[in-house]
């Protein structure tokens, strides 16, 4: 950026000797203005660039892809099985560890708070489109050597080496499943709360994802916490680093904060209605199910 | 606050560290003995701490004198620091031109109107038979080919020329114009907008004395100005008052000199820096939607 600064300084210095910039002496960039007038007479007029007869002048063109009779390219192949069902497969847009580090260093994301999809989307730099079969973010290993932040992060998929990189720095990583409806709420919470609909329950993962999210190796949110601690040790030994004790960490409370399997937002339970304008949280009294739950808890 | 300024240690700008309140007062006495200065006030040194929008390079911040408007001869009342990202950016004259063009065009409605062949009176009947006349074949005497016929692709009233220049181009236009004004010595900063008389002659003399351009735009934060300045500038068409929310590129270029109050400067800087550093820029920079809830 130094050269931009220098050119700005140079230009401003030049302006001191040039005439005053006024409405009468400014003009547009060269070639930015195209002539919108209709052609008349000899040049651009007469046939107006359409030539003589034929489909060019008569605007009676052949359909796109037509190859004047032979079997066209777009009809030659009856099916392409390698794309079968691609529109139904779950997608996980990637975030690299490098990107994450940059976001943390430039204060776009607060490392003192747990990080989930909502945090990442609120930064304004990452977008998730649940409607396009995007089920969350996956953490990739680009920039793994330079990753030095201690964070509590929740993604939807992460490689073993990435998990190791985060735990090595004293952080906590979990993989969690969110169904598309919950994702829609998470991606733009304020827009979703404006609907005035009670917060839904997060659904459990589909059949083919259950194995992934119940395994401690993947730090799944449905896995046994005991197993996860064991796997942390195993990974530390595998990758050759000393596992830091998060119990001794001053941010211990934040690092171990985890959402319930049915919870979408931190601190908010399903069934609550959020009133943004009046800054209220409305909890239902009447549903017997919830009353029972509340009694159980207390 | 006054005690704070009295101590030379707390003066943050290196160049002014050796000055004290007394030396400023003496300078005023020496320079202009005729001016009736009410009471010697300590210098208004305003090093700005842009808490959220700290410039990358502090040394590029511009320092501008704060002048008086309560008397005709110029007196320097103090100093203010201006953020380089607002007052020392690249002077993008092409972006300035686009903004001026936009300001001119977006409100413009063209009322030029021509009649088509269907609207011109007459021309329903075939003028002469298709064949046998030895003449060109025609269907109506009001076709565009005919003298007195309709116009084929003429203007149709009313035609709007509304369009929105991308948001960040408009922001860049403002910062570029402010930078241009400052660089070309057409920017002055005054402490407040309180003028001693209602007489328009006061302004005429002031502009002549200080060599300000014949046309002056005075910008304050609020849209309510004191009585005196309103009466004084009413009579003069080339001295105009404006609240800071009305600041626009066309007006800044139309008037030779731009005069801002300290409050206006702070407000403009804060707003422009907020827009330049907002995190939801992608949402703001998208297509302009007219009807939005």
């Amino acid at each position: 950026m130094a050269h931009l600064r220098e050119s700005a300084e140079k230009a401003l210095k030049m302006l001191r000797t040039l005439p005053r910039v006024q409405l009468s002496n400014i003009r547009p960039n060269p070639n930015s203005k195209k002539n919108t007038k209709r052609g008349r007479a000899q040049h651009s007029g007469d046939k107006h660039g359409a030539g003589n007869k034929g489909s060019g002048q008569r605007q009676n063109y052949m359909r796109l892809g037509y190859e004047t009779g032979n079997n066209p390219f777009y009809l030659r192949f009856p099916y392409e099985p390698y794309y079968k069902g691609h529109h139904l497969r779950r997608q996980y847009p990637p975030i690299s560890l490098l990107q994450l580090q940059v976001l943390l260093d430039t204060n776009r994301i607060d490392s003192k708070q747990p990080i989930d999809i909502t945090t990442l989307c609120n930064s304004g730099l990452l977008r998730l489109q649940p409607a396009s079969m995007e089920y969350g973010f996956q953490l990739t290993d680009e920039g793994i050597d330079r990753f030095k932040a201690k964070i509590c992060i929740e993604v939807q998929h992460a490689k073993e080496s990435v998990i190791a990189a985060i735990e090595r720095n004293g952080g906590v990583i979990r993989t969690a499943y969110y169904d598309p409806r919950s994702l829609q709420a998470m991606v733009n919470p304020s827009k979703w709360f404006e609907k005035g609909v009670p917060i839904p329950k997060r659904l459990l993962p589909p059949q083919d994802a259950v194995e992934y999210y119940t395994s401690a190796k993947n730090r799944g949110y449905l896995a046994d916490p005991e197993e996860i601690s064991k796997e942390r040790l195993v990974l530390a030994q595998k990758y050759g680093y000393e596992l830091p004790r998060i119990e001794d960490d001053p941010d211990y409370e934040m690092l171990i904060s985890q959402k319930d399997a049915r919870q979408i937002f931190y601190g908010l339970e399903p069934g609550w209605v959020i009133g943004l304008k009046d800054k209220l949280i409305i909890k239902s009294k009447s549903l017997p199910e919830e009353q029972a739950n509340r009694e159980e808890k207390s | 606050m006054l005690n704070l300024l009295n101590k030379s240690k707390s003066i943050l700008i290196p160049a002014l560290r050796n000055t004290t309140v007394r030396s400023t007062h003496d300078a005023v006495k020496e320079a202009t003995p005729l001016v009736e200065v009410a009471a010697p006030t300590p210098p208004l040194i305003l090093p700005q701490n842009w808490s959220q929008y700290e410039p990358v390079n502090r040394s590029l911040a511009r320092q501008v004198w704060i002048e008086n408007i309560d008397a005709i001869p110029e007196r320097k009342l103090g100093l203010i620091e201006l953020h380089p990202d607002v007052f020392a950016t690249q002077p993008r004259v092409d972006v300035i031109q686009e903004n001026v063009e936009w300001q001119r065009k977006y409100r413009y409605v063209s009322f030029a109107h021509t009649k088509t062949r269907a609207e011109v009176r007459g021309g329903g009947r075939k003028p002469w038979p298709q064949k046998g006349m030895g003449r060109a074949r025609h269907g109506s005497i009001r076709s565009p080919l005919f003298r007195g016929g309709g116009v084929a692709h003429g203007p149709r009233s009313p035609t709007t020329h509304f369009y929105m220049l991308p948001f960040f181009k408009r922001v860049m236009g403002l910062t570029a114009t402010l930078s241009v004004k400052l660089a070309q010595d057409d920017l002055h900063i005054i402490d407040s907008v309180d003028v001693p008389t209602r007489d328009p002659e006061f302004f005429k003399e002031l502009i002549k004395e200080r060599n300000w351009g014949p046309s002056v735009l005075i910008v304050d934060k609020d849209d309510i100005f004191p009585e005196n300045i309103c009466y004084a500038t009413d009579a003069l068409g080339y001295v105009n008052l404006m609240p800071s929310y009305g600041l626009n590129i066309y007006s800044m270029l139309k008037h030779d000199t731009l005069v801002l109050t300290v409050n206006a400067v702070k407000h403009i800087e804060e707003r422009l820096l907020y827009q330049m550093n907002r995190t939801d820029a992608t949402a703001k920079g998208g297509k302009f939607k007219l009807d939005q809830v």
Side-chain angles (χ1 to χ4, degrees):
Chain A
M1 289 292 145
H3 60 285
L4 284 173
R5 258 287 117 216
E6 280 155 24
S7 74
E9 294 293 318
K10 191 173 176 183
L12 290 168
K13 209 169 177 181
M14 272 170 72
L15 270 178
R16 294 184 67 74
T17 54
L18 292 169
R20 183 183 271 144
V21 174
Q22 288 171 325
L23 294 171
S24 51
N25 56 21
I26 48 173
R27 55 188 177 158
N29 267 327
N31 295 326
S32 65
K33 298 281 169 230
K34 215 172 162 182
N35 187 15
T36 49
K37 279 189 163 181
R38 301 182 63 236
R40 302 273 188 194
Q42 186 181 24
H43 304 289
S44 324
D46 194 12
K47 292 186 272 289
H48 292 275
N52 268 316
K53 298 189 193 182
S55 61
Q57 193 172 37
R58 293 170 181 158
Q59 258 95 66
N60 177 27
Y61 303 105
M62 289 182 264
R63 69 169 183 273
L64 187 67
Y66 183 64
E67 287 177 21
T68 62
N70 60 297
N71 197 18
F73 178 81
Y74 76 96
L75 287 178
R76 278 178 181 268
F77 312 100
Y79 59 88
E80 288 165 343
Y82 30 84
Y83 289 130
K84 191 184 170 82
H86 79 289
H87 62 292
L88 300 167
R89 297 180 70 75
R90 292 193 292 273
Q91 295 178 36
Y92 298 98
I95 303 178
S96 65
L97 281 172
L98 186 65
Q99 264 181 305
L100 194 59
Q101 183 71 66
V102 169
L103 287 171
L104 290 160
D105 290 340
T106 49
N107 279 326
R108 296 283 213 167
I109 292 177
D110 190 9
S111 61
K112 299 294 178 198
Q113 296 285 330
I115 301 170
D116 66 345
I117 296 176
T118 309
T119 327
L120 295 166
C121 290
N122 280 345
S123 71
L125 299 167
L126 300 162
R127 233 161 51 115
L128 197 68
Q129 292 162 314
S132 306
M133 299 295 292
E134 291 181 2
Y135 275 67
F137 292 112
Q138 56 165 312
L139 218 43
T140 56
D141 59 359
E142 182 175 356
I144 195 166
D145 303 320
R146 288 152 140 249
F147 191 75
K148 298 256 178 328
K150 179 183 70 175
I151 47 168
C152 170
I153 187 164
E154 190 188 61
V155 286
Q156 281 59 55
H157 190 280
K159 249 166 75 165
E160 195 186 55
S161 53
V162 165
I163 296 172
I166 294 189
E167 289 182 349
R168 164 189 277 145
N169 293 314
V172 167
I173 177 167
R174 290 283 178 272
T175 49
Y177 173 82
Y178 290 90
D179 56 290
R181 190 176 173 216
S182 317
L183 274 175
Q184 206 192 13
M186 290 191 88
V187 160
N188 196 345
S190 50
K191 188 177 171 189
W192 199 85
F193 287 139
E194 278 168 15
K195 289 187 190 188
V197 178
I199 297 173
K201 261 196 239 182
R202 201 209 304 183
L203 301 178
L204 291 171
Q207 290 271 15
D208 48 2
V210 168
E211 198 198 315
Y212 185 86
Y213 290 111
T214 46
S215 116
K217 263 203 170 54
N218 306 323
R219 307 292 185 271
Y221 73 126
L222 298 171
D224 188 6
E226 297 277 318
E227 299 274 310
I228 289 178
S229 324
K230 265 191 239 169
E231 288 296 334
R232 274 165 57 84
L233 257 157
V234 166
L235 207 64
Q237 284 170 0
K238 178 172 178 181
Y239 282 84
Y241 59 88
E242 205 190 297
L243 192 64
R245 282 175 55 83
I246 49 170
E247 290 88 352
D248 303 336
D249 201 304
D251 296 322
Y252 178 61
E253 291 291 320
M254 184 278 288
L255 287 172
I256 60 156
S257 62
Q258 221 189 321
K259 291 185 212 172
D260 184 63
R262 297 293 200 171
Q263 203 182 4
I264 300 177
F265 298 104
Y266 282 109
L268 300 177
E269 282 173 34
W272 291 1
V273 182
I274 311 294
L276 282 178
K277 192 174 171 204
D278 311 312
K279 301 205 167 98
L280 288 175
I281 297 178
I282 303 160
K283 306 176 191 180
S284 85
K285 276 196 215 174
S286 55
L287 289 171
E289 185 183 71
E290 281 176 30
Q291 262 190 333
N293 278 346
R294 217 171 291 127
E295 277 161 21
E296 248 182 72
K297 276 187 192 166
S298 60
Chain B
M1 187 62 186
L2 289 171
N3 287 330
L4 200 67
L5 284 172
N6 277 337
K7 295 178 194 150
S8 57
K9 278 184 228 162
S10 62
I11 295 170
L12 300 170
I13 296 160
L16 291 167
R17 239 172 232 145
N18 294 322
T19 63
T20 57
V21 176
R22 195 181 296 180
S23 65
T24 318
H25 182 60
D26 285 341
V28 165
K29 269 195 192 161
E30 285 160 19
T32 49
L34 298 167
V35 167
E36 296 148 0
V37 180
T41 49
L44 262 154
I45 296 159
L46 298 173
Q48 292 222 65
N49 300 313
W50 303 280
S51 53
Q52 277 180 294
Y53 311 116
E54 197 55 43
V56 174
N57 193 348
R58 192 81 197 203
S59 65
L60 294 172
R62 299 304 201 244
Q63 289 162 3
V64 180
W65 292 114
I66 301 172
E67 294 159 17
N68 68 321
I69 198 114
D70 53 5
I72 291 169
E74 188 183 304
R75 247 175 41 243
K76 293 173 168 55
L77 299 175
L79 205 82
I80 185 168
E81 266 196 317
L82 300 178
H83 200 290
D85 290 344
V86 177
F87 287 92
T89 42
Q90 182 81 15
R92 291 288 302 270
V93 187
D94 60 326
V95 175
I96 292 173
Q97 190 276 338
E98 280 186 30
N99 273 277
V100 166
E101 193 182 316
W102 169 73
Q103 278 189 260
R104 272 200 186 116
K105 284 183 175 172
Y106 83 95
R107 286 175 286 199
Y108 175 60
V109 178
S110 166
F111 293 105
H113 186 73
T114 53
K115 287 184 163 56
T116 57
R117 63 183 287 173
E119 290 163 358
V120 176
R121 185 93 169 156
R125 182 180 55 212
K126 194 168 170 67
W128 47 80
Q130 182 81 351
K131 298 185 80 63
M133 301 293 292
R135 301 195 66 176
R137 50 191 177 182
H138 288 292
S140 132
I141 51 162
R142 300 302 188 207
S143 90
L145 272 55
F146 272 82
R147 172 196 175 278
V151 179
H153 296 291
R156 301 291 287 166
S157 161
T159 312
T160 45
H161 291 78
F162 174 81
Y163 70 104
M164 286 308 281
L165 202 62
F167 181 76
F168 293 104
K169 258 196 193 168
R170 288 182 269 141
V171 172
M172 190 199 253
L174 282 165
T175 56
T177 319
L178 287 166
S179 309
V180 161
K181 281 289 174 196
L182 184 61
Q184 298 195 311
D185 295 333
D186 287 327
L187 189 86
H188 297 275
I189 296 183
I190 52 175
D191 57 334
S192 77
V193 122
D194 294 310
V195 163
T197 57
R198 287 185 178 190
D199 191 8
E201 288 302 315
F202 174 79
F203 266 108
K204 283 188 188 170
E205 293 289 304
L206 193 142
I207 288 165
K208 199 167 161 198
E209 162 76 26
R210 302 198 192 186
N211 213 20
W212 287 1
S215 50
V216 177
L217 184 65
I218 302 171
V219 180
D220 189 17
K221 176 152 191 297
D222 295 317
D223 41 14
I224 297 171
F225 280 72
E227 264 191 88
N228 282 349
I229 195 168
C230 291
Y231 281 109
T233 52
D234 252 358
L236 304 171
Y238 48 90
V239 180
N240 290 306
L241 309 175
M242 191 179 266
S244 60
Y245 62 74
L247 193 69
N248 62 92
I249 292 123
Y250 188 94
S251 297
M252 284 200 272
L253 293 183
K254 181 122 177 87
H255 296 81
D256 296 308
T257 309
L258 179 65
V259 175
L260 304 166
T261 55
V262 171
N263 288 337
V265 163
K266 289 189 176 170
H267 182 240
I268 292 164
E269 266 189 355
E270 189 270 316
R271 292 273 82 219
L272 286 172
L273 287 166
Y274 167 74
Q275 298 299 350
M276 291 195 287
N277 292 297
R278 59 193 297 168
T279 46
D280 61 344
T282 40
K284 204 63 179 164
K287 187 171 183 283
F288 179 79
K289 288 183 196 133
L290 202 56
D291 298 319
Q292 290 191 81
V293 173

